[in-house]
């Protein structure tokens, strides 16, 4: 398990990632990773998570970018002192890789800003041998 943290605009993003053995098929070049993200508002104003932008890189340097509204079908409002957490997954064609990106937030004043999703690593047991 890998844990990464960052703070941007008074929003803390913490990520834990794990390799999912039961969903992976290494012999077919399919490696499945699950990640849990917790976004905490340590500021004094609410904001809504509007969009996400992921940059996914596999062990061969292939990059895939994913953009879309919200996360897991939601565009949560995060009030001061509260957090939002969710679980998602990422398949790779290689036994390791990484993810990073940004969340586009809309502040209570109507202005948009980005918060950083720190780079975190997706590493299967096969990558360690």
């Amino acid at each position: 398990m890998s844990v990464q943290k960052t703070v941007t605009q008074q929003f803390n993003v913490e990520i834990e990632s794990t390799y999912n053995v039961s969903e992976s098929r290494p012999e077919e070049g399919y490696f499945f990773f699950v990640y849990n993200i917790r976004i905490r508002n340590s500021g004094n104003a609410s904001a809504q998570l509007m969009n996400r932008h992921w940059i996914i890189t596999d062990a061969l340097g292939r990059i895939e970018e994913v953009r879309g509204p919200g996360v897991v079908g939601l565009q949560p409002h995060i009030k001061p002192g509260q957090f939002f957490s969710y679980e998602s997954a990422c398949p790779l064609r290689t036994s390791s890789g990484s993810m990073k990106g940004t969340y586009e937030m809309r502040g209570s004043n109507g202005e948009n800003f980005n918060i950083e999703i720190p780079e975190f690593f997706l590493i299967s047991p096969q990558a360690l041998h």
Side-chain angles (χ1 to χ4, degrees):
M1 177 170 35
S2 169
V3 178
Q4 296 298 320
K5 300 178 185 181
T6 192
V7 179
T8 310
Q9 298 280 344
Q10 298 186 350
F11 279 83
N12 305 45
V13 178
E14 183 175 318
I15 303 166
E16 293 181 22
S17 62
T18 56
Y19 176 66
N20 187 304
V21 175
S22 63
E23 296 290 327
S24 295
R25 297 184 305 280
E27 66 284 353
E28 298 174 24
Y30 185 81
F31 301 86
F32 197 78
F33 300 88
V34 175
Y35 55 89
N36 291 283
I37 297 188
R38 181 177 166 124
I39 306 164
R40 182 173 188 74
N41 183 345
S42 56
N44 54 17
S46 295
Q48 182 178 11
L49 194 160
M50 301 303 295
N51 296 296
R52 69 187 182 284
H53 174 215
W54 285 109
I55 300 168
I56 304 164
T57 307
D58 73 12
L60 299 176
R62 293 179 290 216
I63 296 173
E64 179 183 356
E65 292 196 46
V66 176
R67 296 175 189 268
V71 290
V72 295
L74 302 172
Q75 290 181 312
H77 288 270
I78 308 172
K79 295 179 181 176
Q82 294 187 335
F83 69 89
F84 174 77
S85 61
Y86 71 96
E87 179 178 282
S88 194
C90 177
L92 288 180
R93 292 180 283 167
T94 58
S95 61
S96 65
S98 68
M99 294 177 67
K100 65 181 178 180
T102 55
Y103 293 124
E104 180 186 350
M105 308 293 286
R106 178 165 297 144
S108 55
N109 61 2
E111 292 187 22
N112 288 0
F113 61 94
N114 288 331
I115 60 175
E116 178 187 356
I117 305 168
E119 184 172 27
F120 60 100
F121 298 95
L122 308 169
I123 301 172
S124 73
Q126 292 85 350
L128 301 175
H129 294 73

